[in-house]
């Protein structure tokens, strides 16, 4: 089930440092980021991949369809980490012009892991 976790941030006169350590509940095998988005992204679920999404700059929304419920998550702070299970159909949208969405994923890329249809 999708859930928001919080990363620890340290703030002092030099600025802010956010640490994603011992927060993500799986081993990370793949890292990528999305930026310069003019439309929506995602529109899929997985067979195995667990995903952590962090909007490290700007903001975006994530619509999550579990097949039983639909939730909307605002990723508008770099401390917010959205954890998604493989079965959760996700659509990322409403990206601000400066948005950078970081994805931390439990599995290496495998095109056979993607399912392009939400659950019924």
């Amino acid at each position: 089930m999708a859930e928001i976790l919080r990363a620890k941030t340290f703030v002092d006169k030099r600025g802010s440092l956010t640490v994603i350590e011992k927060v993500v509940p799986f081993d990370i095998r793949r890292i990528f980021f999305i930026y310069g988005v003019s439309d929506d992204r995602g529109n899929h679920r997985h067979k195995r991949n667990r995903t952590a999404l962090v909007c490290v700059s700007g903001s975006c929304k994530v619509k999550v369809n579990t097949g039983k419920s639909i939730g909307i998550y605002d990723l508008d702070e770099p401390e917010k980490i959205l954890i998604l299970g493989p079965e959760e159909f996700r659509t990322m949208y409403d990206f601000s012009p400066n948005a950078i969405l970081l994805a931390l994923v439990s599995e290496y890329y495998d095109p056979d892991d993607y399912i392009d249809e939400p659950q019924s």
Side-chain angles (χ1 to χ4, degrees):
M1 174 180 271
E3 68 176 314
I4 293 281
L5 301 178
R6 305 240 5 138
K8 185 159 182 136
T9 297
F10 301 91
V11 180
D12 64 23
K13 63 183 179 183
R14 300 169 293 171
S16 300
L17 176 105
T18 299
V19 179
I20 301 174
E21 182 177 51
K22 299 179 182 176
V23 176
V24 176
F26 53 82
D27 291 335
I28 299 166
R29 291 191 176 83
R30 184 168 171 237
I31 301 170
F32 63 90
F33 51 95
I34 301 167
Y35 60 98
V37 178
S38 60
D39 202 354
D40 60 10
R41 296 292 306 241
N43 297 308
H44 64 268
R45 57 189 169 108
H46 292 279
K47 296 174 187 172
R48 294 179 309 278
N49 273 337
R50 296 180 71 197
T51 306
L53 296 175
V54 182
C55 204
V56 296
S57 178
S59 64
C60 71
K61 291 183 167 77
V62 182
K63 180 180 176 182
V64 179
N65 181 347
T66 67
K68 296 177 183 174
S69 65
I70 294 175
I72 306 291
Y73 297 86
D74 289 317
L75 297 182
D76 55 1
E77 303 171 44
E79 296 88 3
K80 285 184 179 179
I81 303 170
L82 177 60
I83 305 296
L84 298 171
E87 68 287 348
E88 295 174 311
F89 190 87
R90 73 279 323 255
T91 302
M92 292 82 78
Y93 67 100
D94 198 19
F95 286 80
S96 67
N98 61 332
I100 300 173
L101 182 64
L102 176 68
L104 310 168
V105 186
S106 66
E107 306 296 326
Y108 297 116
Y109 176 73
D110 176 0
D112 292 330
D113 186 59
Y114 287 73
I115 302 170
D116 295 327
E117 298 294 324
Q119 304 86 318
S120 310

